[in-house]
Amino acid sequence: MIIKNHFKIISILLFGLIALGSCAILPLERFDPLPSLESKVEQPILNSVNSNGVYLDEGLIDLYEAVNPGIAAIIVYSNDQLVGQGSGFLFDDQGHVFTNYHVVENATLIEVVFPSGFRGYGELVGSDLDSDIAVIKTSVFEEDIKPLTLGKSADVKVGQYVVAIGNPYGLSGTMTIGIVSARGRLMDSLRSAPNGQFFTAPDIIQTDAAINPGNSGGPLLNMSGEVIGINRAIRTNEDGNGTLSNSGIGFAIPIDIVKRVTPYLIRDGAYEYPYLGIVSRENMTLVEKEALGFSNEILGAYVIDVSANGPASDAGLRGGTEGTIISGLPSGGDLIIAVDGEPVRNFSDLLAYLVTYKSPGDEMEVTVLRDGQVLEFKVVLEKRPT
């Protein structure tokens, strides 16, 4: 399994994490490509900001008026009791709505409310605990079908303006603006691995656009009105009364991963992620590199351990075996420096490539540094174990 061993981000998922049930298990063979979601929606691109950044306010007004009709408040009931609220948005003309899995996981009834005033019940079509997304389907009047355009998170740049629209604290249609603060963050998924740790969600987008409880599942948009992420979590401040609030550090699921997963959620109800079967750190400090005998200029994902009978183990990859001065960091393991010829700087690079481009049953070429030698291994990926 690919799981990390690093300092856990102190964040709050915007509503409770009570499991509704396990997902359906898909067959191990490689998935056939499904039609791109991008081909389902045609919507004019907004040119909100010129090269000098002027007329930003006019651009924001245009953006809001164009996309807000497709953004919904998600109201969740359990046993006839209101248990939470979140956000969501239409992404096709069939009434499919994106939200976070953690928004609807304990729901016995889901209500979807659009800005037009339309209210409809939502049916959970599929869910993915690894990326924390869910697809629900609702009946929508034809005049209320205003799907959002899905962009490309691979094109996202740190420093670009972004907008979040959602239902924080039940205040539907709330718009906030900020920038992309960072890319490539890692977060725990909502699915635990057999060893008790959690699998990892990669390539998370960090933003300072204000995201608060209730924004979960809403879109993070670029200034062309395209969805580049689904808002998932925040790092919080807590006042003396126990109230949680935005700290300027929010996290969104990259839309490229969402687009890869969603067709399978609609078709099969679930998606299976590829599984390599290693334990690694997110990054290595200078002290850790010295303890492992690596020079500072060497980059890669260090293999602390390999799972018994997993793909990495079967292919011959090696984890650490000898103790060092750093607890939990044994020396002697492989350092993964490339996969399929693509350089790997750290564990985040490795996991992002694996999740974005690979499926269970695929073969992946793994290049490692071992005892000063560069070696190559062919790994046949499996599905993540339950």
Side-chain angles (χ1 to χ4, degrees), residues 270-331:
Y271 177 79
E272 289 295 344
Y273 283 80
Y275 170 71
L276 179 58
I278 68 168
V279 176
S280 180
R281 283 203 195 291
E282 182 174 353
N283 288 292
M284 287 191 295
T285 67
L286 284 174
V287 173
E288 290 171 338
K289 284 187 175 184
E290 291 172 1
L292 296 171
F294 297 131
S295 59
N296 184 36
E297 67 272 13
I298 295 177
L299 302 176
Y302 180 67
V303 181
I304 295 173
D305 192 19
V306 294
S307 301
N309 301 317
S313 174
D314 291 346
L317 269 70
R318 189 173 73 186
T321 56
E322 302 293 330
T324 66
I325 60 172
I326 301 174
S327 177
L329 186 67
S331 64

Side-chain angles (χ1 to χ4, degrees), residues 2 186 202 276 278 280-281 300-303 317 336-340 342-358 364-366:
I2 292 194
L186 298 179
L276 179 58
I278 68 168
S280 180
R281 283 203 195 291
Y302 180 67
V303 181
L317 269 70
I336 299 175
I337 58 176
V339 288
D340 290 339
E342 296 292 328
V344 170
R345 298 169 300 170
N346 50 37
F347 177 67
S348 181
D349 281 355
L350 170 62
L351 189 57
Y353 179 85
L354 187 71
V355 170
T356 305
Y357 299 108
K358 292 296 183 179
M364 184 170 72
E365 183 178 89
V366 179

